[in-house]
Amino acid sequence: MQRLVILGGGESGVGTAILGKKKGYDVFVSDLGVIKDNYKEVLKINGIAWEDETHSENLILNADVVMKSPGIPDKSPIVKKLVEKGIPVISEIEFAAPFTKAITIGITGSNGKTTTTMLTYHLLKSAGLNVGLGGNIGKSFAWQVANENYDCYVLELSSFQLDGIINYKPHIAIITNISPDHLERYDYKYENYINSKFRITMNQTNEDFLIYDDADEAISNWLQNNKTNAQLIPFSLTKSFEKGAFIKNNTMEVNINQEEFEMKTSDISLEGKHNMKNAMAATSVAQLMKIRKETIRESLSNFQGVEHRLEKVLKIQHVQYINDSKATNVNATFFALDSMTVPTVWIVGGVDKGNDYSELMSLVREKVKAIICLGVDNKKIIDAFGNVVDIMVEVESMSDAVKTAQHLVEKGDAVLLSPACASFDLFQNYEDRGNQFKSAVRNL
């Protein structure tokens, strides 16, 4: 009996444990932190051995294969020991994929991947396909492989999940864009992070597809200097393609397999340039999956968007409050500011991941009337924008941030929470940060 050890007792860890047990592995789950009670319950019910708040080396280093949760860095001592012993350390996606015949659509990128994943899933599900949603969102992929019987999966894949693949390949891969993020996990080398994203296509054949942003510098450079066997399907806001997706005369056109799809951009429910890119990527998948054009049109016009991503919360006294808590890096905030059409009070700050704020400078000059810094250490933000806006305020709670914003706005303005930083200094995660913002706005 092969021994499967799982590091991390969260959603992906517990899902993998259930699938491993079902497939006849001797399964053990080990978490250096505390496993949540609901997950402990699931492990107990399924008769799976586990430990938390420790890693017992004698129970881990005898593994045949190890599934490492994406949150655990490769540099952690136990992972280094496993690698030294030559024990394969893989991700949940790599472990689960061989146990399903379903085709997978894998979506990665520094920004836009959640919206693109949700929109792709919405397009396929609305067309009546038997489709699952997993990876970085929703129910664990491994758990679904163990308990469901889907024909295809739409998977949001982080660079950490891709780092742990060996043979996995999606039939259709999307790279929405690449900008510096999580560099602390990649020795602060941007090229390591870029290569990590491109692992999504490394096992693809000429029967598979890679959909990508043609205007993205990091993506274009990689494709010029490296080879993928996949058929390439570019999308662009400015260029036209014989095979690919583009915007021309305020119309989105997608040309794939001699099939042409057209739709006025004004009929697409998502707003902003970056969302046109997300829509082009998702529509390219729908075309490849041979979904009826009428269904695609309908789905693009009724899609509701993703929580915490440019989410319109409330309009109070002609001021729109917008929750973009999911913007955890500068590039995401760039898109948010770029889509603002009225004077904006911008709430920013948190745990800085080596941010370079200079690329936001022209947008801040043009759109932002005041900045509210919401973080434990705001020095970099103050240094960057102190001379650019007239008003800068530091606060340490979300309710203070929202109340302060309310004092600074006039009729017709907007208040935008788009932190450009991780949330762990004052909040559990970006969802908690976004939910606190929404509740503070509703309490005004």
Side-chain angles (χ1 to χ4, degrees), residues 346-381:
W346 175 32
I347 303 172
V348 57
V351 180
D352 184 304
K353 297 187 267 187
N355 285 352
D356 174 9
Y357 293 105
S358 61
E359 61 188 88
L360 300 177
M361 207 53 80
S362 60
L363 285 171
V364 172
R365 278 204 174 90
E366 183 191 343
K367 318 234 181 186
V368 175
K369 61 187 283 184
I371 290 178
I372 297 171
C373 300
L374 173 63
V376 171
D377 178 11
N378 304 310
K379 185 177 178 328
K380 257 178 92 171
I381 297 166

Side-chain angles (χ1 to χ4, degrees), residues 77-87:
I78 193 74
V79 176
K80 281 182 162 168
K81 284 181 181 163
L82 287 161
V83 172
E84 273 163 26
K85 283 196 76 173
I87 298 167

Side-chain angles (χ1 to χ4, degrees), residues 265-278:
T265 53
S266 54
D267 295 338
I268 298 171
S269 65
L270 291 168
E271 295 170 27
K273 287 183 205 155
H274 61 296
N275 274 326
M276 287 307 115
K277 293 181 174 189
N278 298 337

